[in-house]
Amino acid sequence: MAAITTRQRTGWTVANFVVAVYALIPVLWLVSLSLKDKSTFTDGHFIPRKWTFENYVNIFKVGGFTQPLINSIGIAIISTVIAIVLGTFAAYAIARLEFPGKRLMLGASLLIAMFPQVSLVTPMFQIERSIGLFNTWPGLILPYITFTLPLTIYTLSAFLREIPWELEKAAKMDGATPFQAFRQVIVPLAMPGVVTTAILAFIQCWNDFVFAISLTSSNRARTAPAAISFFTGASQFEDPVGSIMAAAVVITIPIIIFVLIFQRRIVSGLTSGAVKG
Amino acid sequence: MAEIVLDQVSKQYPDGTTAVDKVNLEIADHEFIILVGPSGCGKTTTLNMIAGLEDISSGEMRIDGKRVNEVAPRDRDIAMVFQSYALYPHMTVRENIGFPLKLAKVDKATAKQKIEEAAGVLDLTPYLDRKPGALSGGQRQRVAMGRAIVRSPKAFLMDEPLSNLDAKLRVQMRTSISRIQKRLGTTTVYVTHDQTEAMTLGDRIVIMRAGVVQQIGSPQELYERPVNLFVAGFIGSPSMNFVPGTIADNAVDTVLGRIPLTDRVRAALNQHGDVPREVIIGVRPEAFEDASLVEGRGEGVTFTAPVDILESMGSVKYAYFSLENAHVDSEHLAELERDTGSEEIEAQIVTELDARSAVKEGQDQEVWFSPDSINIFEPSSGTNLTAGK
């Protein structure tokens, strides 16, 4: 590979900068608005003239944002964990085994992923109300798992296919039960894939709005995105812009933390050295 | 230490193909046995059935007299070395070698000692804390061996363990595998497609073709008395030369000249009784000699032809002759030719001549061979009529 010249480096720096700015300006704007005092919302300045943390205090003290946040974290984590565990098993079966109905199963899971969620809201609302799942955690966890599973199965089966089958045979010969082989050989090697998929699944659950708004009626199970839409101003004539902005900033924080924690575990090239080479 | 018996073992796949057809094989304790054959002959399937990685469709397999058809691989106490080594990339060499011990719940101190012992045998001690990714091909191969020997299993199964190494390393590892096997005395089943490996390593060789065992015997036996055309063509490097021949009173007419039938050959033919007139003659390259170097030619046969290509190996010279109307078209050899890609219209005769020979490329050369060195094959079945019983 040729050495990178100064010109190339400058070019790349500029390009990266442009992309970063383009992507970050709306976010910074969000942050800026959330830090502005009520009276200066519409002054049009990017950098707030009057700094205040009042909006942040308000959403927790007045707006009752704590419970929706807990709901969001709990529901998203539980859904992700269940989807990943089920998805890993399913993906393993799809990658390794030949069984009747394999294509059908893959097709069906793809179908679920393609189904517009909006069209399912009304029937789900009726079903959940009649079986008592409405406005509960399981009432949201269930549809989240349903819609993240296709994604997890697809991504994970691609990852698992990359792992040489002989490793598993070797583990069997070394005295491992099928589950030990899976747990001690396959899973560690599939870890980058599992983590990547987990992040995607978590984001999908975390960002959902359609189900969250339709299948909940109170803070008992309402998640943060849905709760934001119920924010009201201090009076009928006041816009809750500040609170909404503050809440929007708050709900991005867990995702950033989640990604930062797991990103370190995504190490590429982990399988190198397994077979010949 | 174990005795492995395959009794009419067959493997049929759901789509109806038969990969292994009624294999009978008794592998004695301490024995080093080789399964050899061209690709797709069922040797790896047979090995996998011994390992338990593939189900046995019919027949019975016994280890130490006990039926193991339904026993899971982990309960057979057999270790396997894979062609690709199949090392666990997320574990260090120490963990790789120790994995079988960990699964067997051997206590830490004993395990440590055993791992170090195995590493010592294989010269892996300096690399114990590295990951497989940081090792060379030969070292990886040794780690795979280490994982097999560490728990002193009843038997080793090796699936072309050397085929990913370069030529020089392969020869070195071949000797060290042989040494380790002798030292540990563990029953070993070794699969290869390389006849040189088979000849040098094995106590006994099993030659397979299309799922059927062709011949079982010691390397010498297979070399000297191949039962059919396939075995004759497979064993030996360079391979045996085949030419068509016609039997006519006490001699065979071939492009190599009229070869008289010696007492040995005649006796063998009489034993068979029904001998066709049209036969295939097989002569090993080693049977030929530069006629000018042979003293007392006796009843030897000579032929003269222009030398096509000459390969000087130092200790010997290989002279190649192209003879017209001498190609043997047999289904028994077609498979071997397809593998090596040596399908030709003219027959090529390879002769191994003494290094002192003054043979020159392009010039006519007189070549001598003893009529006693020939094998006579029945063309349709491929049976060797001179192999004796």
Side-chain angles (χ1 to χ4, degrees):
Chain A
M1 209 173 79
I4 299 168
T5 64
T6 327
R7 247 184 83 186
Q8 273 175 319
R9 188 174 296 138
T10 331
W12 277 111
T13 315
V14 171
N16 287 338
F17 185 74
V18 168
V19 170
V21 166
Y22 178 78
L24 284 178
I25 278 187
V27 181
L28 291 176
W29 195 7
L30 211 71
V31 176
S32 149
L33 277 177
S34 74
L35 292 172
K36 277 183 180 178
D37 185 76
K38 276 193 191 89
S39 56
T40 58
F41 276 151
T42 51
D43 64 359
H45 288 288
F46 194 79
I47 296 160
R49 294 290 161 93
K50 274 175 88 177
W51 293 76
T52 173
F53 282 98
E54 201 187 326
N55 293 318
Y56 288 92
V57 178
N58 272 348
I59 55 169
F60 290 106
K61 272 202 170 158
V62 187
F65 197 55
T66 323
Q67 188 55 39
L69 209 56
I70 292 171
N71 291 342
S72 251
I73 294 172
I75 289 171
I77 286 179
I78 294 172
S79 309
T80 307
V81 168
I82 297 178
I84 288 295
V85 171
L86 287 180
T88 316
F89 286 138
Y92 181 71
I94 284 168
R96 285 285 189 263
L97 308 175
E98 278 304 326
F99 54 91
K102 180 168 148 176
R103 279 164 184 276
L104 193 74
M105 192 184 145
L106 266 177
S109 72
L110 195 66
L111 197 72
I112 294 169
M114 291 189 301
F115 226 85
Q117 303 186 353
V118 175
S119 64
L120 288 173
V121 163
T122 315
M124 296 237 348
F125 175 74
Q126 297 294 354
I127 293 169
E128 295 215 340
R129 269 210 329 176
S130 57
I131 59 173
L133 282 176
F134 182 73
N135 200 26
T136 60
W137 277 27
L140 279 180
I141 291 174
L142 224 55
Y144 286 175
I145 293 172
T146 315
F147 282 98
T148 45
L149 261 182
L151 171 95
T152 46
I153 292 175
Y154 257 83
T155 358
L156 280 173
S157 62
F159 265 96
L160 289 174
R161 253 190 285 266
E162 293 294 304
I163 297 173
W165 198 348
E166 290 209 321
L167 287 179
E168 214 177 320
K169 289 188 188 168
K172 272 191 198 168
M173 294 308 298
D174 284 345
T177 62
F179 185 73
Q180 279 174 321
F182 180 71
R183 173 68 200 78
Q184 302 196 28
V185 176
I186 302 301
V187 171
L189 292 176
M191 219 46 204
V194 172
V195 170
T196 313
T197 318
I199 290 176
L200 291 175
F202 183 84
I203 291 174
Q204 198 180 343
C205 300
W206 183 261
N207 285 348
D208 171 75
F209 181 71
V210 178
F211 287 121
I213 195 99
S214 341
L215 301 178
T216 58
S217 60
S218 72
N219 271 356
R220 196 177 139 206
R222 188 177 283 153
T223 59
I228 291 174
S229 71
F230 282 95
F231 279 163
T232 50
S235 75
Q236 198 182 333
F237 307 103
E238 205 179 313
D239 240 5
V241 175
S243 317
I244 291 174
M245 294 307 149
V249 173
V250 169
I251 63 168
T252 54
I253 292 169
I255 288 208
I256 294 172
I257 294 174
F258 192 82
V259 171
L260 284 183
I261 291 174
F262 285 107
Q263 199 189 29
R264 290 191 305 144
R265 305 216 50 178
I266 309 175
V267 207
S268 61
L270 203 62
T271 46
S272 72
V275 296
K276 45 183 173 181
Chain B
M1 311 300 131
E3 184 190 61
I4 302 169
V5 178
L6 282 77
D7 187 2
Q8 300 277 316
V9 168
S10 300
K11 174 76 187 179
Q12 260 112 24
Y13 285 111
D15 63 359
T17 51
T18 304
V20 175
D21 197 9
K22 297 200 189 76
V23 169
N24 284 311
L25 181 60
E26 284 181 25
I27 305 165
D29 199 5
H30 305 303
E31 195 171 19
F32 197 137
I33 203 150
I34 313 272
L35 301 181
V36 71
S39 43
C41 73
K43 54 191 193 296
T44 299
T45 312
T46 309
L47 191 77
N48 283 343
M49 284 196 287
I50 299 175
L53 294 171
E54 286 198 55
D55 294 330
I56 296 168
S57 308
S58 65
E60 192 175 76
M61 208 185 86
R62 293 184 291 270
I63 297 178
D64 282 339
K66 260 179 261 151
R67 180 186 161 97
V68 292
N69 286 34
E70 291 79 22
V71 177
R74 72 192 138 93
D75 299 321
R76 293 191 187 187
D77 193 17
I78 286 176
M80 186 156 170
V81 178
F82 291 84
Q83 179 175 11
S84 65
Y85 317 145
L87 302 180
Y88 311 123
H90 57 298
M91 301 182 192
T92 60
V93 170
R94 185 189 300 278
E95 287 164 334
N96 261 290
I97 297 178
F99 192 62
L101 301 176
K102 189 175 136 195
L103 292 171
K105 303 210 165 58
V106 174
D107 69 273
K108 288 235 170 75
T110 323
K112 189 169 187 290
Q113 186 212 333
K114 280 193 173 178
I115 292 167
E116 266 152 28
E117 220 174 88
V121 171
L122 294 158
D123 293 326
L124 281 170
T125 317
Y127 312 109
L128 274 176
D129 294 311
R130 288 205 200 165
K131 294 236 169 116
L135 299 178
S136 71
Q139 290 162 346
R140 286 181 201 175
Q141 209 282 329
R142 296 210 297 273
V143 176
M145 288 285 297
R147 203 169 56 185
I149 65 173
V150 74
R151 65 190 164 114
S152 324
K154 280 185 186 164
F156 294 141
L157 306 180
M158 302 193 191
D159 186 4
E160 311 214 11
L162 304 180
S163 60
N164 283 327
L165 300 177
D166 61 64
K168 198 171 174 186
L169 207 52
R170 196 177 310 161
V171 175
Q172 284 172 7
M173 280 310 293
R174 200 167 72 199
T175 348
S176 64
I177 286 183
S178 188
R179 196 177 301 129
I180 289 167
Q181 200 271 342
K182 292 273 167 334
R183 186 167 141 187
L184 301 174
T186 310
T187 314
T188 304
V189 185
Y190 186 107
V191 162
T192 179
H193 63 267
D194 179 355
Q195 65 93 24
T196 321
E197 253 172 49
M199 295 292 279
T200 48
L201 280 174
D203 293 331
R204 275 196 305 159
I205 299 176
V206 179
I207 298 198
M208 294 182 73
R209 174 193 174 202
V212 181
V213 170
Q214 303 290 309
Q215 188 172 5
I216 304 176
S218 71
Q220 207 55 36
E221 220 173 302
L222 260 53
Y223 178 82
E224 284 168 1
R225 289 188 299 281
V227 293
N228 59 28
L229 271 176
F230 180 82
V231 176
F234 193 84
I235 294 289
S237 171
S239 23
M240 193 184 269
N241 299 296
F242 298 102
V243 289
T246 314
I247 296 185
D249 18 276
N250 271 339
V252 201
D253 282 320
T254 68
V255 287
L256 301 177
R258 194 179 167 84
I259 309 168
L261 299 178
T262 61
D263 293 344
R264 175 189 76 88
V265 174
R266 214 168 18 234
L269 289 181
N270 284 339
Q271 226 177 13
H272 270 277
D274 190 24
V275 178
R277 274 178 61 79
E278 300 297 325
V279 290
I280 295 171
I281 306 297
V283 192
R284 294 238 176 245
E286 303 85 294
F288 294 97
E289 195 46 88
D290 183 337
S292 61
L293 295 174
V294 180
E295 287 165 28
R297 294 188 188 182
E299 55 173 1
V301 183
T302 59
F303 73 96
T304 308
V307 176
D308 231 14
I309 291 169
L310 181 70
E311 292 174 351
S312 186
M313 308 296 287
S315 55
V316 291
K317 283 176 178 169
Y318 291 119
Y320 291 73
F321 299 88
S322 289
L323 300 178
E324 275 178 50
N325 305 320
H327 184 65
V328 174
D329 209 12
S330 165
E331 50 158 330
H332 304 288
L333 294 170
E335 200 175 340
L336 293 173
E337 284 171 354
R338 210 179 319 119
D339 255 23
T340 52
S342 66
E343 233 162 327
E344 281 166 40
I345 308 299
E346 308 173 303
Q348 197 172 49
I349 303 291
V350 189
T351 60
E352 187 186 302
L353 307 179
D354 196 283
R356 289 170 297 158
S357 166
V359 58
K360 282 210 175 62
E361 227 167 81
Q363 286 183 2
D364 275 0
Q365 174 68 38
E366 192 185 22
V367 177
W368 174 94
F369 66 95
S370 155
D372 204 37
S373 62
I374 63 165
N375 290 278
I376 301 179
F377 300 93
E378 210 268 312
S380 58
S381 67
T383 317
N384 187 349
L385 302 173
T386 45
K389 295 274 161 143

